[in-house]
Amino acid sequence: MNQGEIGVQRAIKLKELKDQVIVITGASSGIGLVTARMAAKRGARLVLAARNEAALKELTEELREAGHEAVYVRADVGIEEDVNMIAETALKSFGRFDTWVNNAGVSIYGKAMDVSYQDMKRLFATNYWGVVYGSRVTVHHFRERRIPGALINIGSVFGDKGTLVQSTYASSKFAIHGWTESLRMEMDREKAPVSITLIHPGRVDTPYNEHARSYLVHQPVHKGMIYPPEAVAEAILYAASHPKRDIYVGSQAKMLQLLGANFPSLTDKFWEGISPRTQYDEKRKSNSPEESNLYHAGYGMHERGTNLGWKRKRSMFVKAAKHPVLTRVIVAGICVWAVLKIK
């Protein structure tokens, strides 16, 4: 735990999940869907937002039938008025919200020089401006009521290190990382009652690849080591009740960040060699542009996608983030053991 996290923890005490109202954008599939189901089981009341109204309605009915409280809002987070409507629905339904999760996102698979400006701008409307709108609504809410709460922004391994094939997506995530860090410093300086967390997921097994706008011949996929959406949801819900600066989901996310920061040229060469072929399936033809969710809602109620590779059951980095003291004791023990073995 770094000094920034210690300072935040001293200043802000967040509610337990069972006492919270949580707003989740992009709740109709993937990480958002898993987070909603997990949060409901832990007693949180939910405000669910996405563009797919049919999926939202189905999810809300599912949760209510299980005895949980939830409402939904059909909203495009790339439109400021829609984001304001999400907040208004939370206030009307529950009188407040305690955590806002900026999860909604879209992607584009295509070379930097091939993707149209129109598609780039549309992606940024969702990925970047959606986060900005949600962040500002959240900060205003906590400031005005002088109550502590959590803002959780979903970044990416590609927000720490650029990549081939998904340059537009990576650029939007870099922007989210910069926005989140800058906003956090401003809020810390004025001692605002808001905990701001950036989640750094590695590759996650969601329908992300099938929803993406593709310029490729072959179908986009994740290959290699892939983490379950439950690992990201676990990180999100921990940050909702425990102030944290950053949580990395998966060793690949942390390692790529460290390598890129300390050995940039070497990491570039390494990534140039392995990255492209891990992002598409040669056996399948790519979906048509009309099937993507860039300009309209994609299909909903699917937690996972059609990715290939080693699908992990959990992320040990998330477990370590939840138990920092225990993790340090274990690491120290291993180091002492190693020294004694050498002697």
Side-chain angles (χ1 to χ4, degrees):
M1 184 183 296
N2 58 39
Q3 292 180 345
E5 287 175 334
I6 294 173
V8 168
Q9 285 190 326
R10 285 174 180 169
I12 298 174
K13 181 174 177 58
L14 301 174
K15 296 178 181 178
E16 295 182 25
L17 287 178
K18 65 181 180 63
D19 299 319
Q20 287 203 27
V21 175
I22 300 178
V23 175
I24 303 172
T25 69
S28 62
S29 68
I31 293 169
L33 175 60
V34 173
T35 303
R37 285 170 168 161
M38 190 180 294
K41 288 179 180 178
R42 297 185 184 182
R45 290 173 285 175
L46 302 176
V47 180
L48 309 171
R51 291 175 295 173
N52 188 329
E53 186 170 9
L56 287 175
K57 183 178 180 181
E58 181 179 345
L59 175 59
T60 301
E61 290 175 351
E62 170 195 314
L63 297 178
R64 287 175 176 173
E65 287 175 3
H68 309 301
E69 293 185 66
V71 296
Y72 74 85
V73 188
R74 183 193 178 281
D76 183 337
V77 297
I79 301 172
E80 183 181 3
E81 292 77 12
D82 280 18
V83 176
N84 292 336
M85 184 171 59
I86 299 171
E88 290 165 5
T89 300
L91 296 178
K92 182 178 179 180
S93 301
F94 302 113
R96 70 178 200 281
F97 59 86
D98 303 291
T99 294
W100 184 295
V101 184
N102 281 315
N103 167 71
V106 295
S107 187
I108 298 174
Y109 283 71
K111 294 181 179 179
M113 299 302 290
D114 292 342
V115 178
S116 72
Y117 293 138
Q118 180 181 350
D119 284 354
M120 287 184 178
K121 291 176 181 178
R122 177 57 204 175
L123 180 143
F124 265 79
T126 298
N127 290 14
Y128 176 69
W129 285 107
V131 168
V132 171
Y133 298 147
S135 297
R136 291 179 65 156
V137 162
T138 300
V139 168
H140 285 313
H141 177 73
F142 295 141
R143 268 177 170 171
E144 291 172 1
R145 286 158 182 78
R146 297 182 181 179
I147 57 173
L151 168 64
I152 301 171
N153 292 338
I154 309 303
S156 171
V157 58
F158 296 142
D160 293 312
K161 174 64 185 173
T163 189
L164 299 86
V165 184
Q166 293 189 74
S167 55
T168 307
Y169 176 80
S171 299
S172 72
K173 291 298 183 177
F174 265 86
I176 289 170
H177 288 205
W179 163 260
T180 303
E181 290 192 1
S182 301
L183 180 63
R184 184 193 291 120
M185 286 190 287
E186 291 189 7
M187 294 303 101
D188 184 58
R189 191 168 187 269
E190 69 176 62
K191 295 180 171 55
V194 54
S195 168
I196 301 178
T197 302
L198 180 63
I199 308 291
H200 305 245
R203 289 175 166 174
V204 182
D205 186 18
T206 69
Y208 161 97
N209 60 306
E210 296 166 31
H211 287 162
R213 165 72 168 95
S214 177
Y215 284 72
L216 306 180
V217 174
H218 302 295
Q219 175 62 29
V221 296
H222 288 325
K223 288 182 180 178
M225 188 160 59
I226 308 167
Y227 290 87
E230 286 83 358
V232 187
E234 182 181 5
I236 291 170
L237 296 182
Y238 183 76
S241 54
H242 300 81
K244 295 288 290 184
R245 177 188 177 91
D246 300 272
I247 302 181
Y248 289 82
V249 181
S251 58
Q252 62 185 209
K254 186 60 178 177
M255 290 306 297
L256 196 58
Q257 183 267 328
L258 288 173
L259 289 171
N262 293 284
F263 308 99
S265 296
L266 181 63
T267 306
D268 283 353
K269 293 298 181 183
F270 167 76
W271 203 237
E272 288 166 17
I274 71 167
S275 175
R277 66 176 181 271
T278 67
Q279 299 192 61
Y280 58 84
D281 180 3
E282 302 90 339
K283 297 180 180 180
R284 287 190 289 161
K285 185 178 179 181
S286 182
N287 291 338
S288 68
E290 292 73 24
E291 295 178 86
S292 80
N293 71 349
L294 187 59
Y295 292 95
H296 55 77
Y299 63 85
M301 297 303 289
H302 285 241
E303 294 183 350
R304 288 169 168 73
T306 57
N307 298 294
L308 307 172
W310 178 24
K311 298 181 180 181
R312 301 289 303 275
K313 293 182 178 180
R314 63 186 64 84
S315 166
M316 296 310 298
F317 260 80
V318 174
K319 301 295 183 185
K322 293 172 65 176
H323 305 285
V325 176
L326 178 60
T327 299
R328 288 181 177 183
V329 170
I330 293 172
V331 171
I334 292 172
C335 291
V336 170
W337 177 83
V339 169
L340 293 175
K341 291 291 288 183
I342 291 173
K343 290 181 178 181

